[in-house]
Amino acid sequence: MMNVNIWGHVKSPGSHLVYDGIDFASLLSIVGGPMDGANLKNVRIYREVPDEDGSLVYQIGLQLG
């Protein structure tokens, strides 16, 4: 298990205990999903430990539907 911090326009932001290897869609479901008006085109994912390329932050754009 691991703790993740979810910030932004979701129904239940904050720290959540989730299983290792959780996918992003499942994580969004745990926090109640994005609220109306959430900007999903500019989502940032922050790592605690850099990946093999040294990256700590990833920026992604989501499209629901």
Side-chain angles (χ1 to χ4, degrees), residues 47 49-56 58:
R47 294 177 55 97
V49 178
D51 67 9
E52 56 275 353
D53 295 329
S55 296
L56 283 171
Y58 297 90

Side-chain angles (χ1 to χ4, degrees), residues 35-46:
M35 296 176 66
D36 288 340
N39 180 3
L40 299 177
K41 295 179 183 175
N42 186 19
V43 175
R44 288 188 210 108
I45 300 172
Y46 295 86

Side-chain angles (χ1 to χ4, degrees), residues 14-60:
S15 184
H16 297 270
L17 185 62
V18 298
Y19 59 87
D20 290 343
I22 190 169
D23 61 87
F24 195 71
S26 296
L27 186 56
L28 273 180
S29 293
I30 287 171
V31 299
M35 296 176 66
D36 288 340
N39 180 3
L40 299 177
K41 295 179 183 175
N42 186 19
V43 175
R44 288 188 210 108
I45 300 172
Y46 295 86
R47 294 177 55 97
E48 184 175 352
V49 178
D51 67 9
E52 56 275 353
D53 295 329
S55 296
L56 283 171
V57 180
Y58 297 90
Q59 186 170 335
I60 60 173

